[in-house]
Amino acid sequence: MRKMKEDGVPITMVTAYDYPSARLSEEAGIDVILVGDSLGNVVLGYDSTLPVTLDDMVYHTRAAVRGAANTFVVADMPFLTYHGSLDATLQGVGRLMREGGAKAVKLEGGAEIASTVKAITEAGVPVVGHLGLTPQSVHQLGGFRVQGRNSEQAEKLLSDAKAIEEAGAFAIVLELVTDELAAWVTKQLSIPTIGIGSGVHCDGQVLVYHDLLQYGSDSAPRKFVKAYANIGETIRAGIGEYVKEVKARTFPAQENTFHMDNDVVQYLYGDKE
């Protein structure tokens, strides 16, 4: 990924949470898969990422890795699993790597978690940072707001990015950061930035699988998301046709039905005549 940044080749990342979504993403040529704690919203039906547990992340990471064995898979460390003791943090990281099969972990936060990032990387685990709008801290940030609109926010974000880079992270996700600030930070770092809602000047882009495909998402359209397909509408229509045909007894039809040999039918039911 660092080579891609140096060569000016954009990095593509998408979230995936299970075997089929990861497999399809790999077949489509994605560079990196993120098993994000966004699964809390789009898969588990929560209204935030906060209820997602480490068990949830291990389970979904394991499924995604089975679907994308040849793709670099990053897994999120969920809420409050890396703010306690270092031993507990490393145990959680170890579970995502050993049980989940992740190739790297992602942590939200800036300078305040730099020592944790350093400890994880020194333990031999690649780390991706996450700055800007950090969903695990959404209440502290006052809601889902664009970050970096003033000089104070800009200086802090750059300082945090530098701290995470120096701690050993190999990439940083920038979420809902102004285009100008994301471009500035990207130029100041030697590691790649992966943007979501942060403009075109990042070294790569990431979108949530369900947003990109309009799959099961009932949220209002967001400015930074582009839908490339409407799978949800296709699925609804398909299931709707199934319901109609079952109600009308046109499914299963003869081509979907199996029959006994005639002599067995006669044995069971007698002579039809």
Side-chain angles (χ1 to χ4, degrees), residues 17 49 59 115 135 152 157 177 179 181 222 225 250 259 265:
Y17 314 100
T49 65
Y59 177 88
S115 61
E152 183 180 354
L157 195 142
V177 174
D179 177 67
L181 177 55
R222 283 165 286 182
V225 172
T250 58
H259 297 281
V265 173

Side-chain angles (χ1 to χ4, degrees), residues 186-197:
T186 298
K187 288 181 180 178
Q188 300 299 314
L189 300 180
S190 63
I191 61 175
T193 59
I194 310 295
I196 177 167

Side-chain angles (χ1 to χ4, degrees), residues 116-247:
T116 301
V117 171
K118 183 177 181 180
I120 295 172
T121 57
E122 287 180 346
V125 178
V127 173
V128 177
H130 186 149
L131 295 171
L133 189 284
T134 47
Q136 292 177 12
S137 306
V138 65
H139 299 309
Q140 189 177 45
L141 294 172
F144 291 90
R145 298 178 178 176
V146 175
Q147 304 296 301
R149 290 192 182 277
N150 57 54
S151 58
E152 183 180 354
Q153 289 182 351
E155 290 288 353
K156 184 179 187 312
L157 195 142
L158 178 60
S159 175
D160 283 337
K162 286 284 192 181
I164 296 301
E165 177 184 43
E166 291 170 6
F170 73 90
I172 297 178
V173 170
L174 298 179
E175 182 168 357
L176 280 186
V177 174
T178 58
D179 177 67
E180 296 82 2
L181 177 55
W184 184 46
V185 171
T186 298
K187 288 181 180 178
Q188 300 299 314
L189 300 180
S190 63
I191 61 175
T193 59
I194 310 295
I196 177 167
S198 300
V200 72
H201 301 293
C202 294
D203 297 304
Q205 299 292 329
V206 59
L207 281 178
V208 170
Y209 185 92
H210 293 63
D211 293 340
L212 187 158
L213 299 175
Q214 291 193 344
Y215 172 37
S217 177
D218 58 1
S219 60
R222 283 165 286 182
K223 180 176 180 178
F224 65 89
V225 172
K226 178 177 179 179
Y228 289 82
N230 193 333
I231 301 304
E233 186 173 316
T234 301
I235 291 173
R236 262 191 308 275
I239 295 175
E241 284 301 308
Y242 164 69
V243 170
K244 289 179 183 177
E245 291 194 4
V246 170
K247 296 292 187 183

